[in-house]
Amino acid sequence: MILDLIASGLVFSSIIVLGSIGLSLIYSIADFANFAHGDTMTVGAYSALVTFGAVGGLGGSLLGLPYGFFVALAVGIAAAAVVAVITEKVVYAGLDIGSIGLLITSIGIAFIYRAVIQLRFGAGFTRYDIQVLRPIDALVPYGVRVTLHDVAIVGSAVVLVTGLHVLLQYTDLGRKMRAMADNPELARVSGIRTDRVKLWTWVIGAGLAGAGGVFLGLFSRLVPRMGFNLLLIIFAAVILGGIGSVYGAMLGGFLIGMINQLTPALSELGSLLPLVPDAWGIPIGIEYADALAFVIMVLVLLVRPNGIAGEAT
């Protein structure tokens, strides 16, 4: 059981990490908590759904997924980025109302995104037209019931996160993004074209959110509230890791995702830990996983008020 929960935690963490990085990136540059971020994930998921309906028959497959799904993934990423950039240019950039005002505005933007999706697709759930796979046979004897689709989610997330790390550490754009996140005024007087850096930050942050949304739809199902339902968990991950820190968001996303999926194991702690009676455990189910994640976040913040990675980017 515990190995299966750990495997599920890795898959769920991959989705949370992608959402957390995007939210932290946008916060570090735009300087406000974007409550439309969860619904940006939904935009990516539904854009991929439409695209997959058109190109799903593309021949061949990889890790149990048709090639058309990866085309749909790319379109989902691009659509989320385009919608976020248009929102930034049309709405946020023209407002001079401070961080709190932008935060409240982003809540309204989230409602608009969701309403548009609901008008087109309805309030019910749907799924990608992809065959459901059986668990990988070689792992079943160990109690691990993951599918090739789960492997694809984790592998794709690792590729995207590694690509972001390379961009931040080894490219001119990444250095400018880090400089602007550390001190926007100093970056501006140093000659950095901050408007262009800010634009790319929206593209990358929203694009990663779009990827997270596509994988969330593959992991469970698509519903107009899917991104909003996950938003508070993503905020918990970003705050736990250290708001404004990209690498902290990665760590926070991983921890929150694992805690979420490992919650059922608490009821069987006695059988998992040495020197503890077998009957001992904390009777708590998966329905309390989100609350537990927030409890742990608060406990960590009591010790480290700036989160695990502080303000470092």
Side-chain angles (χ1 to χ4, degrees):
M1 174 186 175
I2 187 66
L3 291 178
D4 190 42
L5 293 176
I6 290 174
S8 294
L10 286 174
V11 180
F12 190 61
S13 294
S14 299
I15 297 168
I16 300 296
V17 165
L18 292 175
S20 301
I21 292 173
L23 185 64
S24 185
L25 267 176
I26 292 172
Y27 177 86
S28 65
I29 301 295
D31 196 27
F32 77 97
N34 179 23
F35 269 72
H37 193 74
D39 290 274
T40 305
M41 296 177 70
T42 310
V43 170
Y46 276 88
S47 299
L49 176 70
V50 173
T51 306
F52 187 72
V55 302
L58 214 60
S61 66
L62 177 65
L63 294 173
L65 292 169
Y67 290 156
F69 178 81
F70 294 98
V71 175
L73 170 64
V75 172
I77 292 172
V82 168
V83 169
V85 168
I86 291 175
T87 304
E88 153 67 8
K89 292 296 183 184
V90 174
V91 181
Y92 299 139
L95 296 175
D96 185 17
I97 52 179
S99 298
I100 299 300
L102 288 171
L103 183 154
I104 295 172
T105 302
S106 71
I107 295 175
I109 295 296
F111 281 118
I112 294 172
Y113 286 174
R114 205 176 316 148
V116 172
I117 291 171
Q118 195 162 318
L119 280 172
R120 170 64 180 82
F121 298 96
F125 70 87
T126 186
R127 299 179 187 277
Y128 299 117
D129 186 18
I130 297 175
Q131 182 182 3
V132 177
L133 298 181
R134 292 171 54 83
I136 300 173
D137 291 338
L139 299 177
V140 171
Y142 302 99
V144 179
R145 301 182 62 81
V146 298
T147 68
L148 284 175
H149 292 171
D150 298 326
V151 175
I153 292 173
V154 176
S156 300
V158 169
V159 169
L160 290 171
V161 170
T162 302
L164 177 66
H165 169 70
V166 171
L167 183 145
L168 287 175
Q169 298 297 327
Y170 303 108
T171 68
D172 185 53
L173 174 62
R175 284 187 283 272
K176 289 176 179 176
M177 288 172 66
R178 288 188 285 128
M180 190 171 165
D182 288 340
N183 192 325
E185 291 303 321
L186 182 59
R188 189 174 294 111
V189 299
S190 299
I192 294 176
R193 299 178 66 176
T194 54
D195 288 345
R196 180 173 295 182
V197 174
K198 191 174 181 179
L199 177 65
W200 275 109
T201 302
W202 276 99
V203 170
I204 296 169
L208 290 173
V214 176
F215 293 138
L216 180 61
L218 182 63
F219 181 64
S220 56
R221 59 189 185 180
L222 290 87
V223 65
R225 289 178 61 89
M226 59 189 287
F228 179 78
N229 291 341
L230 202 65
L231 184 61
L232 291 181
I233 293 296
I234 292 174
F235 266 112
V238 171
I239 294 170
L240 176 63
I243 193 163
S245 166
V246 172
Y247 294 103
M250 294 180 191
L251 179 58
F254 175 77
L255 292 175
I256 290 293
M258 294 299 293
I259 291 168
N260 184 288
Q261 295 296 302
L262 283 168
T263 299
L266 293 176
S267 60
E268 299 183 13
L269 277 180
S271 61
L272 299 173
L273 299 176
L275 306 177
V276 176
D278 287 347
W280 194 84
I282 302 174
I284 184 171
I286 188 69
E287 63 270 24
Y288 300 103
D290 292 352
L292 179 63
F294 276 92
V295 169
I296 292 176
M297 180 199 77
V298 171
L299 292 176
V300 171
L301 292 181
L302 287 173
V303 180
R304 293 183 61 87
N306 291 327
I308 297 173
E311 295 293 331
T313 302

